[in-house]
Amino acid sequence: MSTSSSTVAVVGAGIAGLSAAIRLAVAGKKVIVFEQNSYTGGKVTAFEQKGFRFDMGPSLFTLPHLVDELFELARKNPREYFNYHTHDEVCRYLWDDGTKLTMYPSLDKNEAAVASVFGATEGEKLRDYFDQARVKYDLTAPFFLEKSLHRASTFLTPAVVKVLADIPKLGLFSTLNEENEKVFKAPKLVQLFNRYATYNGSSPYQTPGIMQMITHLEHSLGTHFPLGGMHEISQSLTRLAQELGVRFELGTRVEEFLIENKSIIGLVAGGKTWAVDQLVCNTDVKHAYNYLMPEQVKRPKKTLEQEPSSSALIFYWGLSTQFQELDLHNILFSDDYEKEFEHIQSNGPFWEDSTVYIHISNRLEPEDAPKDKDSWFVMVNTPYDQGQDWNEIVPLVREKVLERISKVLGTSIEPLIEMEEVLRPQDIEQRTSSVGGALYGTSSNDRMAAFLRHSNKSNSIKGLYFCGGSAHPGGGVPLCLLSGKIASEWLIEDE
């Protein structure tokens, strides 16, 4: 453990920033976290209205050991701070024609479920498909998710040589849709496994086939849900950070990074100048370069020109009744998935045929809704904000979403809505500084996208590090936790 008492600023109290702050505090650093909002957690936040509680951001929790690891580093018992349910279902899938399929974190159950809906042959293919996903994950995760892609040391090991030799097996030169069509004949099954491209804000018709490995996280390693909701991930980490002496400056917008002789010397935040020795940037990298850095700082052009990921339009509905057809996670698929993604990417009329995701947290956390009622988090994927008239778009989306849900459930939903809030892409940008409200920074619609994500360390400014969804390895709770780990460990190593 380092005994250095240098002062490190962490800009942004999202999941990655909290991860970095905790690790740096454990290493003996004096850590100050600056956050523009009055709360920590970034996208992982929550609200309550009329007795209905909602997580506002991510709703899927995988790889819980990455949270536990932070408590263990601080020599704390994770179970005294943070606990979670392990769910016996992955997701319920529903189509307009009445087709229904429930998937599980169990290969045998999944094989039987798929066989019952799509035939025995498709069920048998599932075993090979999940095995392929596991191989892709096991080959790449230790090197390309848990380590930097911008350090020679990551690649100079015999194990990585083996990974590079297996590149043809990884699906880097085909799309996720092409990989799925090689295995399954049923279009609905292809559509189901295509949806995993949305986990990093991408299109299955463009993102590389290696993204198949995401299915391994859910179907083999399991899905979970924190006691107290997703918000409890950020809040438990905040409490741990405070116990470790991390200082939080909430409601304090960072205005400028102070750089002298190509080195970080401080920052301006809340109208004050703060001297720091190093800085970990947990804000969107485009925002950082556009608004926080002096003009003379060299811009990583290829990285900043990457296509932003998709965004989302989210309706938070308090319903006066419950539907037993729905569980914690539910997907109501569009009729034409390829056209849906074409519209998202071209900023077209995506609302005409949108896939609808419904998350109902009170299935596992009954206190999230009044008795016999439901808290619905209803999301559709959208283009990132490019100046669209969302005041015009939101009612169009709402009408189509209600139409799809009502058709699938056989009940008119609108009369059952007791309360409603809406989160639009520009709201996401305002609250999190994610340019355009892009949920995952840049998309992965290119086989080289992973290598073009921003490095966890600046190659031009000494003492400047990056973490979060727009930096390596990407967005989502698990990857953000890893991003904070890579950035903080690199900083400590540099000292």
Side-chain angles (χ1 to χ4, degrees):
M1 183 182 292
S2 169
T3 57
S4 169
S5 59
S6 60
T7 300
V8 184
V10 176
V11 178
I15 290 295
L18 293 169
S19 169
I22 289 167
R23 291 175 180 278
L24 291 167
V26 169
K29 309 293 183 188
K30 178 182 177 183
V31 183
I32 309 174
V33 179
F34 296 89
E35 170 56 52
Q36 67 174 353
N37 293 305
S38 60
Y39 54 84
T40 63
K43 296 182 180 76
V44 186
T45 186
F47 76 97
E48 185 173 336
Q49 190 177 126
K50 295 184 179 180
F52 297 93
R53 193 202 74 87
F54 301 90
D55 287 304
M56 295 194 73
S59 57
L60 178 68
F61 182 41
T62 58
L63 304 182
H65 71 273
L66 294 177
V67 176
D68 288 352
E69 184 179 81
L70 291 168
F71 292 99
E72 290 161 356
L73 274 175
R75 298 183 179 179
K76 309 282 187 180
N77 179 358
R79 300 290 75 80
E80 293 179 2
Y81 290 80
F82 177 73
N83 290 280
Y84 54 89
H85 309 269
T86 295
H87 198 31
D88 57 1
E89 288 189 14
V90 168
C91 190
R92 294 187 183 182
Y93 300 97
L94 304 98
W95 286 266
D96 285 3
D97 65 3
T99 303
K100 298 178 182 180
L101 176 67
T102 299
M103 297 289 277
Y104 306 90
S106 160
L107 183 54
D108 291 338
K109 280 189 174 183
N110 283 332
E111 189 173 347
V114 168
S116 69
V117 177
F118 298 108
T121 302
E122 296 290 73
E124 291 167 4
K125 291 176 181 176
L126 206 64
R127 195 169 292 270
D128 285 339
Y129 185 82
F130 285 144
D131 191 53
Q132 292 171 20
R134 177 189 57 77
V135 169
K136 289 177 179 178
Y137 182 83
D138 289 346
L139 274 173
T140 58
F143 311 105
F144 302 147
L145 296 182
E146 298 170 16
K147 295 184 180 181
S148 170
L149 289 181
H150 301 85
R151 305 186 72 177
S153 60
T154 298
F155 299 91
L156 299 178
T157 68
V160 172
V161 171
K162 182 182 186 307
V163 173
L164 297 177
D166 284 336
I167 277 180
K169 299 178 183 177
L170 298 179
L172 284 175
F173 301 104
S174 57
T175 67
L176 180 60
N177 178 68
E178 288 168 344
E179 290 292 301
N180 291 337
E181 286 186 334
K182 288 177 187 176
V183 179
F184 301 111
K185 298 300 181 187
K188 286 184 172 67
L189 269 185
V190 173
Q191 183 181 33
L192 189 158
F193 290 109
N194 274 352
R195 85 173 183 89
Y196 286 92
T198 64
Y199 282 42
N200 56 20
S202 305
S203 164
Y205 305 96
Q206 289 187 275
T207 199
I210 193 173
M211 295 304 170
Q212 177 188 355
M213 70 180 184
I214 299 174
T215 63
H216 177 65
L217 298 183
E218 287 191 17
H219 295 285
S220 299
L221 301 182
T223 59
H224 315 276
F225 193 67
L227 270 64
M230 295 293 288
H231 188 223
E232 192 56 27
I233 301 173
S234 62
Q235 297 316 291
S236 64
L237 293 180
T238 298
R239 292 190 292 270
L240 173 62
Q242 289 171 327
E243 286 187 20
L244 294 171
V246 173
R247 175 179 175 180
F248 286 89
E249 292 288 336
L250 302 180
T252 306
R253 179 182 289 274
V254 172
E255 299 150 32
E256 184 182 359
F257 294 172
L258 299 178
I259 299 169
E260 188 176 284
N261 296 325
K262 295 186 177 180
S263 296
I264 284 287
I265 62 167
L267 54 78
V268 178
K272 294 170 55 179
T273 298
W274 305 73
V276 299
D277 300 291
Q278 292 99 7
L279 189 153
V280 178
C281 178
N282 178 217
T283 191
D284 186 278
V285 297
K286 291 185 179 180
H287 175 84
Y289 281 100
N290 290 339
Y291 300 106
L292 304 180
M293 297 199 203
E295 289 184 8
Q296 63 268 28
V297 171
K298 183 180 179 182
R299 266 63 177 167
K301 187 176 179 182
K302 286 187 177 181
T303 294
L304 297 180
E305 288 178 350
Q306 286 293 289
E307 174 193 3
S309 78
S310 59
S311 186
L313 188 59
I314 305 172
F315 299 94
Y316 306 95
W317 289 337
L319 257 65
S320 61
T321 190
Q322 294 185 343
F323 289 88
Q324 297 310 309
E325 301 99 313
L326 302 179
D327 192 57
L328 181 69
H329 301 293
N330 312 273
I331 299 283
L332 284 62
F333 275 117
S334 62
D335 291 324
D336 191 334
Y337 215 39
E338 188 166 9
K339 189 172 184 180
E340 177 183 356
F341 280 94
E342 287 175 2
H343 282 157
I344 290 171
Q345 288 191 276
S346 65
N347 195 21
F350 63 91
W351 55 85
E352 291 180 351
D353 186 20
S354 290
T355 294
V356 180
Y357 167 68
I358 305 176
H359 170 63
I360 309 176
S361 62
N362 56 285
R363 288 294 181 269
L364 293 188
E365 289 285 300
E367 297 300 315
D368 282 1
K371 183 175 171 56
D372 298 324
K373 299 184 179 184
D374 264 347
S375 293
W376 279 20
F377 168 114
V378 181
M379 186 184 92
V380 298
N381 294 309
T382 75
Y384 64 94
D385 182 45
Q386 301 156 58
Q388 303 96 317
D389 186 348
W390 292 99
N391 290 332
E392 180 181 333
I393 291 172
V394 169
L396 296 173
V397 176
R398 186 179 188 274
E399 179 183 357
K400 289 293 186 179
V401 165
L402 285 168
E403 182 181 305
R404 168 148 284 143
I405 299 173
S406 298
K407 181 177 182 180
V408 168
L409 295 180
T411 303
S412 179
I413 297 300
E414 186 165 26
L416 306 176
I417 299 174
E418 290 189 357
M419 60 77 51
E420 177 177 32
E421 289 291 337
V422 182
L423 187 71
R424 304 164 300 172
Q426 71 264 48
D427 301 324
I428 297 170
E429 177 170 16
Q430 181 183 5
R431 297 179 187 192
T432 66
S433 297
S434 301
V435 173
L439 293 181
Y440 304 94
T442 57
S443 76
S444 294
N445 286 332
D446 186 292
R447 69 174 63 98
M448 296 304 294
F451 297 90
L452 291 173
R453 278 194 179 274
H454 201 288
S455 170
N456 302 105
K457 177 184 175 180
S458 171
N459 60 9
S460 61
I461 304 299
K462 184 180 179 182
L464 178 59
Y465 302 82
F466 293 86
C467 63
S470 60
H472 178 71
V477 171
L479 297 191
C480 283
L481 290 168
L482 289 172
S483 185
K485 178 180 182 178
I486 295 168
S488 57
E489 288 182 347
W490 205 341
L491 186 157
I492 294 165
E493 183 182 325
D494 283 346
E495 286 204 333

